[in-house]
Amino acid sequence: MITLKINGSPRQFDGDPEMPLLWYLRDVVGLTGSKFGCGMGLCGACTVHQDGVAIRSCVTPVRGVVGKEVTTIEGLSNDSHPLQKAWEALNVPQCGYCQVGQIMQAASLLKQTPKPTDKDIDDAMTGNICRCGTYQRIRAAIHLAAKEKA
Amino acid sequence: MKTIDNSSRRSFLRQAFGAGALVLGARVLPTRALAALETAVFSPNVFVGIKSDGTVLIVAHRSEMGTSSRTMVPLILADEMEADWKRVKIEQAIGDEKYGDQNTDGSHSVRSFFSVMQECGASARSMLEQAAANQWSVPVSQCKATLHQVVHSPSGKKLGYGELAAAAAKLPVPDKSKLIFKKKSEYRYIGKDLPVYDLSDITHGKAVFGMDAKVDGMVYASVEHSPVLGGKLLSFDDKEALQVPGVSRTVEIPAFKPPHAFQALGGVAVIADNTWSAFQGRKKLKVSWDPGPNASYTSSEYKQQLQATARKPGKVVRNVGDVDKGFAAATKILEADYYVPHLAHAAMEPVVAVADFRDGKCTLWAPTQNPQAVQDTVAAAVGIDKKNVICNVTLLGGGFGRKSKPDYCAEAAILSKQLGKPVKVVWTREDDIHFDYYHSVAALYMKAGLDQSGKPVAWLQRSVFPSINSTFALDVKSGSAGELGMGFTDTPYALPNHRAENGEAVNHVRIGWLRSVANIYHAFAVCSFADELAHAAGRDPKDYLLDLIGPPRLVDLKAQGVDYPNMGPIEQYPVDTARLRKVVELVAEKSGWGKRRLPKGHALGIAAHRSFLSYIATVVEVAVSPAGKISIPRVDMAVDAGMIVSPDRVRSQFEGAAVFGASLALMGEITATAGKIDQSNFNNYPVVRMNEAPLETRVYIVESDAPPAGVGEPGVPPFAPALCNAIFAATGKRIRELPLSRQKLV
């Protein structure tokens, strides 16, 4: 039995501690906001925060987050994070599947770099694939959120 | 209540699930499986209903995969009926032929349903006005529906839609010929930029995709397929697989019977109580296959065969004048071979489906572009009537054509029938890449003869590719009229001598529709070759392209003996060179063609292409570093898609098309070795990431009253040739094979 902290709430898990956090969140806890895209940490659809920093939950075993604060999109904000507002203001999503991972990645970026340059955004966001091709609006939304937040 | 009788289905579902038993993702959505309008008191047709509290229910019968169909098709109806969009609730339709075509492909949701939605909205509005007139005992001409209420103009009396619904339900549905439609100037929502219905759910992780579907008592399955198409299962050993915690059993799925169509491929399924255990168990399976005849398929050899075929005469599919005489009279001959490899769709959500087979019926929750095809496919797979297949459509995490082929739904249904419980089949990314219905590989041969002034006097083009028709029939060797009509038989150039030929090719993998389909390789060859001719003639490529397109006219392909399906009635949607010229001129002006000062190593390329009845011209600015590294600082696209519903969503589709086009041009390539696909995940089938994407895409929409054409796909085809034409301008190197990652620029 291990104890995890997900979105501020402690949870007990007696399953395989090697299970990736993504599948624990989705299939065991029922938090389906984080998405499965590649299973190898290549696409970023599964991005969540560990102690406020973006990680790929599809390649992180649950044993690895014992004693850490895990935050998913469901726990990112009480209402709307500035990034979620910016995403909506600029109509960023198309299919929307990757956008949770994009927002979680961007939230991690803004925490460390409140005023990111285009280069900062490229460096932080390049691990997150959007097959619909919304990158231009993602970039604009990050800049917008950074401006609004300041 | 005038909605379609669905009582037998409803009582079944109540029995099957009980109230609240059905859980879709984080939200309980029991109505998903019910008739969409069953709570309405007034429902003059299958697309709209009004509840007594005034909520207007509008059915989205098209699938949402990012193009905004789920919002923008209902929005047409809402606008026409004067509904307040804030009081509209969208209900996603199950698969049912009563809605007409539900196959969300071919960029035709708005095109095919604009007038249907208008008629449904105008009918409802007219009946509400009549109901108010009856209640007030006044002439209906004095009653006007305005933003969710009917107003009696002389007195200012008002009645809300909810108050009128029950009375309206008793009135006859007016004849179509009696309907009065709103004028364009009266539109409230069409032409404005309303956000998509699911926007906030998407940004908050609450949107329900197929991957998120969950039913009580459900088990999870991962399926091992033959690595080669059509391989036979010889034996399998599941001892170790069954030892993985969470794995309960394995199930053999019978192999498909050729032609494969949308049948389950067949293989061995590992069943577990969560997705990860199913994946882990599957890795422990030991399976032995007889690969069968498709093991002969190796891409490098196949490429040579296609190219050799393209160098030989093929079946003539368009003929104007006499190209041989033209070549004999020409002063300069140009020849070029073009090649585009297979591509995979690689939607962010791998294919996935939940099926629950019980009591002779099968209910599915699936991210599908075509729920009626799910009904047909599942019915055949589990031996029931299609009316007993209930397909609930979730949001799609991308589709691009892959999710119009419901083989994964058949897998889930077969397993559920066998196991007697609901089953969720989840494909890994590796499955998604290995067992796609690939965009076809193609080889093209182009030959032109120029006269002394550089004008083309003869133009020969040959296209060779395995056809999508091989999905549905055996021994298919030729391209279909539909595929050839995508940028090959309909080349709209003014050429005195012009011949198009199709050579034979046999498929060895599943071939399928991918965003813009055969237009990709046809536009690549035709638009690149136009640029080659311009340079050979020493002319500006944009000016030369306009000369090639020739004077404004309607190209009469039928008179030239072309079997040309178009994608809509040719009278309504002719091949209009005036519109093609206009987008070329517009994009040239907006991109600063010939005028913009560019940094060293930067250059512009242009391409124009009509597809899905829309006219697109693209200018790509490329930057090639001294080391030969490509980046794309800017893309300009001019779009004439006829009348459009949402300018912002049209722009977004073209921004996305630039990225999709960049992926296939820069790095998209699927290859096979001994019948097995070499790529497996985003490490070896890369798609464009933020740092490789066009930094800025500017979209210019031509204001048009022409009938709505297509938006989702036509931005893709001109991108690759425009990029490669820009690379030629920057480096002098002509790119005739994709992807660019295979090419050395310096």
Side-chain angles (χ1 to χ4, degrees):
Chain A
M1 180 77 76
I2 55 175
T3 304
L4 301 158
K5 204 164 177 197
I6 312 292
N7 297 331
S9 303
R11 287 180 179 270
Q12 308 278 314
F13 179 53
D14 61 359
D16 188 344
E18 294 302 317
M19 179 184 278
L21 177 60
L22 174 69
W23 295 114
Y24 169 73
L25 291 170
R26 292 182 54 82
D27 290 353
V28 181
V29 184
L31 293 173
T32 55
S34 313
K35 298 295 188 254
F36 170 56
C38 69
M40 289 177 71
L42 297 169
C43 78
C46 66
T47 304
V48 300
H49 292 177
Q50 171 185 298
D51 294 337
V53 178
I55 58 161
R56 305 297 185 230
S57 66
C58 75
V59 289
T60 305
V62 285
R63 65 170 163 72
V65 294
V66 172
K68 322 262 187 190
E69 296 267 354
V70 173
T71 308
T72 70
I73 189 78
E74 290 89 349
L76 180 66
S77 65
N78 288 329
D79 178 18
S80 275
H81 186 279
L83 282 164
Q84 288 166 316
K85 288 182 192 155
W87 244 247
E88 291 173 24
L90 299 181
N91 290 314
V92 173
Q94 289 185 29
C95 86
Y97 192 81
C98 75
Q99 298 296 347
V100 160
Q102 305 276 3
I103 289 169
M104 294 305 286
Q105 184 68 39
S108 177
L109 165 67
L110 289 190
K111 208 170 244 185
Q112 289 159 41
T113 313
K115 287 277 170 199
T117 62
D118 273 351
K119 172 78 166 56
D120 294 331
I121 292 174
D122 272 352
D123 291 346
M125 301 303 295
T126 283
N128 290 69
I129 296 174
C130 173
R131 184 65 162 143
C132 297
T134 63
Y135 298 122
Q136 176 172 329
R137 294 192 192 215
I138 290 173
R139 184 190 301 282
I142 294 171
H143 283 309
L144 177 63
K147 208 170 106 190
E148 300 283 313
K149 229 180 164 178
Chain B
M1 186 163 103
K2 295 179 74 175
T3 128
I4 299 303
D5 176 37
N6 232 346
S7 54
S8 62
R9 183 172 287 166
R10 284 203 301 274
S11 63
F12 153 68
L13 285 160
R14 285 202 181 111
Q15 240 174 5
F17 299 111
L22 164 64
V23 181
L24 268 170
R27 294 186 299 168
V28 179
L29 292 176
T31 56
R32 280 252 175 181
L34 305 180
L37 302 181
E38 82 157 355
T39 55
V41 292
F42 166 56
S43 177
N45 55 65
V46 299
F47 289 108
V48 63
I50 302 178
K51 291 168 65 163
S52 49
D53 69 358
T55 304
V56 168
L57 304 173
I58 304 182
V59 173
H61 71 301
R62 316 286 297 168
S63 298
E64 183 55 74
M65 53 185 161
T67 62
S68 78
S69 300
R70 175 173 145 84
T71 301
M72 297 309 163
V73 175
L75 181 133
I76 299 163
L77 196 161
D79 198 328
E80 190 63 45
M81 85 176 274
E82 278 289 316
D84 181 350
W85 187 244
K86 291 195 283 292
R87 299 180 67 187
V88 170
K89 187 164 180 291
I90 292 177
E91 296 281 353
Q92 187 69 36
I94 60 170
D96 193 322
E97 59 195 9
K98 75 181 180 209
Y99 298 114
D101 184 304
Q102 288 182 271
N103 187 9
T104 313
D105 79 342
S107 301
H108 77 114
S109 291
V110 170
R111 187 197 322 151
S112 294
F113 289 94
F114 193 94
S115 57
V116 174
M117 291 298 129
Q118 278 191 313
E119 283 160 22
C120 291
S123 293
R125 171 168 45 77
S126 145
M127 292 165 79
L128 291 160
E129 286 172 342
Q130 187 63 56
N134 294 353
Q135 189 154 333
W136 292 321
S137 302
V138 298
V140 71
S141 58
Q142 295 178 350
C143 301
K144 191 165 168 50
T146 309
L147 202 60
H148 235 83
Q149 57 187 5
V150 178
V151 182
H152 180 236
S153 314
S155 69
K157 278 186 290 196
K158 290 169 184 169
L159 280 168
Y161 280 8
E163 298 168 283
L164 291 166
K170 297 193 182 97
L171 298 174
V173 177
D175 190 72
K176 196 171 138 183
S177 63
K178 300 256 165 43
L179 295 176
I180 298 160
F181 295 99
K182 285 169 74 169
K183 292 200 249 345
K184 195 175 173 183
S185 59
E186 296 171 323
Y187 288 157
R188 266 177 209 286
Y189 310 125
I190 296 169
K192 314 291 192 297
D193 286 333
L194 268 70
V196 295
Y197 189 72
D198 304 293
L199 183 58
S200 172
D201 282 349
I202 288 171
T203 57
H204 290 77
K206 292 179 187 160
V208 179
F209 295 87
M211 192 61 78
D212 308 327
K214 191 171 190 179
V215 176
D216 273 3
M218 174 177 100
V219 293
Y220 298 77
S222 178
V223 185
E224 182 79 10
H225 305 108
S226 167
V228 179
L229 180 67
K232 296 276 174 294
L233 178 67
L234 296 174
S235 64
F236 71 96
D237 175 352
D238 60 7
K239 268 195 235 51
E240 284 184 41
L242 292 172
Q243 277 161 26
V244 171
V247 171
S248 55
R249 60 177 291 187
T250 59
V251 179
E252 185 181 334
I253 302 176
F256 67 85
K257 293 186 179 58
H260 51 266
F262 302 150
Q263 295 173 80
L265 281 167
V268 182
V270 175
I271 311 300
D273 61 15
N274 66 78
T275 314
W276 185 66
S277 293
F279 289 174
Q280 292 302 102
R282 186 164 147 225
K283 285 184 193 156
K284 304 276 185 186
L285 273 182
K286 295 190 179 74
V287 187
S288 171
W289 302 97
D290 170 4
N294 285 323
S296 66
Y297 186 49
T298 292
S299 291
S300 51
E301 292 161 22
Y302 190 78
K303 176 183 177 183
Q304 289 174 0
Q305 289 169 25
L306 290 188
Q307 288 179 324
T309 306
R311 279 277 175 166
K312 287 182 268 185
K315 184 179 147 201
V316 176
V317 290
R318 183 179 179 187
N319 193 30
V320 177
D322 185 333
V323 284
D324 298 313
K325 273 194 187 155
F327 288 132
T331 55
K332 194 173 197 175
I333 300 284
L334 281 93
E335 289 180 282
D337 297 284
Y338 291 89
Y339 179 78
V340 182
H342 286 299
L343 300 170
H345 299 80
M348 292 314 295
E349 176 193 46
V351 297
V352 57
V354 175
D356 186 11
F357 183 97
R358 62 180 78 199
D359 304 330
K361 300 191 180 188
C362 193
T363 306
L364 294 105
W365 292 264
T368 176
Q369 292 174 241
N370 191 354
Q372 291 176 33
V374 173
Q375 290 183 286
D376 290 328
T377 302
V378 167
V382 296
I384 58 176
D385 192 282
K386 77 179 275 191
K387 71 176 193 303
N388 292 324
V389 179
I390 298 120
C391 181
N392 300 282
V393 181
T394 65
L395 293 179
L396 285 67
F400 312 115
R402 173 62 182 90
K403 289 171 184 164
S404 61
K405 300 168 259 278
D407 54 330
Y408 52 101
C409 298
E411 278 184 345
I414 290 166
L415 291 171
S416 178
K417 186 182 179 188
Q418 176 106 1
L419 294 167
K421 55 178 84 172
V423 176
K424 181 176 190 176
V425 167
V426 184
W427 283 32
T428 62
R429 174 59 57 196
E430 288 78 8
D431 294 331
D432 198 67
I433 302 278
H434 279 157
F435 306 107
D436 200 355
Y437 287 76
Y438 302 99
H439 171 71
S440 188
V441 56
L444 291 106
Y445 167 74
M446 309 292 292
K447 181 179 178 183
L450 306 185
D451 69 11
Q452 219 123 43
S453 70
K455 264 198 211 135
V457 291
W459 173 297
L460 170 67
Q461 57 190 52
R462 293 198 192 111
S463 180
V464 185
F465 55 90
S467 170
I468 292 168
N469 278 7
S470 62
T471 307
F472 308 105
L474 299 173
D475 302 319
V476 170
K477 291 186 181 131
S478 299
S480 66
E483 288 162 312
L484 293 164
M486 290 180 164
F488 190 69
T489 52
D490 57 348
T491 307
Y493 296 162
L495 298 161
N497 304 295
H498 181 188
R499 194 162 75 211
E501 299 174 5
N502 172 227
E504 294 187 343
V506 175
N507 74 300
H508 296 285
V509 292
R510 301 192 294 182
I511 304 289
W513 309 279
L514 175 142
R515 190 178 190 178
S516 84
V517 200
N519 288 293
I520 292 173
Y521 41 83
H522 290 146
F524 177 59
V526 170
C527 300
S528 296
F529 198 54
D531 194 74
E532 292 205 40
L533 266 54
H535 287 283
R539 303 261 326 270
D540 172 77
K542 183 263 295 178
D543 294 340
Y544 194 86
L545 177 58
L546 286 170
D547 286 352
L548 263 180
I549 295 167
R553 68 197 183 284
L554 305 183
V555 181
D556 189 350
L557 293 164
K558 203 175 164 195
Q560 297 176 8
V562 179
D563 178 6
Y564 184 61
N566 209 13
M567 296 196 99
I570 196 83
E571 306 74 32
Q572 237 187 322
Y573 296 98
V575 181
D576 185 346
T577 58
R579 293 174 73 183
L580 192 60
R581 290 184 66 91
K582 186 166 178 185
V583 289
V584 170
E585 285 159 355
L586 179 62
V587 81
E589 179 207 324
K590 296 287 189 182
S591 67
W593 181 270
K595 293 186 180 126
R596 179 147 55 106
R597 283 184 61 87
L598 296 166
K600 195 170 177 309
H602 292 229
L604 304 184
I606 189 166
H609 188 72
R610 172 188 182 269
S611 66
F612 303 92
L613 311 171
S614 290
Y615 300 80
I616 317 300
T618 301
V619 168
V620 173
E621 178 190 348
V622 75
V624 183
S625 76
K629 195 171 174 298
I630 296 167
S631 59
I632 304 167
R634 179 169 152 185
V635 178
D636 294 81
M637 288 170 140
V639 176
D640 178 356
M643 194 179 161
I644 58 167
V645 177
S646 167
D648 180 70
R649 293 296 83 194
V650 172
R651 281 192 295 275
S652 73
Q653 282 304 296
F654 285 85
E655 291 162 11
V659 176
F660 200 90
S663 281
L664 75 90
L666 294 172
M667 55 190 74
E669 182 179 38
I670 290 288
T671 56
T673 304
K676 186 173 182 263
I677 299 303
D678 298 317
Q679 293 73 23
S680 55
N681 206 318
F682 292 120
N683 53 342
N684 50 23
Y685 185 73
V687 295
V688 156
R689 294 171 181 275
M690 182 175 264
N691 62 337
E692 300 152 321
L695 188 62
E696 186 188 10
T697 296
R698 303 183 186 189
V699 181
Y700 317 100
I701 299 169
V702 174
E703 181 93 7
S704 173
D705 289 327
V711 167
E713 295 169 90
V716 174
F719 185 88
L723 171 64
C724 294
N725 294 342
I727 289 170
F728 182 82
T731 66
K733 180 157 171 84
R734 177 59 61 185
I735 304 297
R736 299 196 182 103
E737 289 189 13
L738 297 179
L740 282 151
S741 55
R742 288 240 175 203
Q743 312 280 329
K744 289 234 179 311
L745 293 187
V746 288

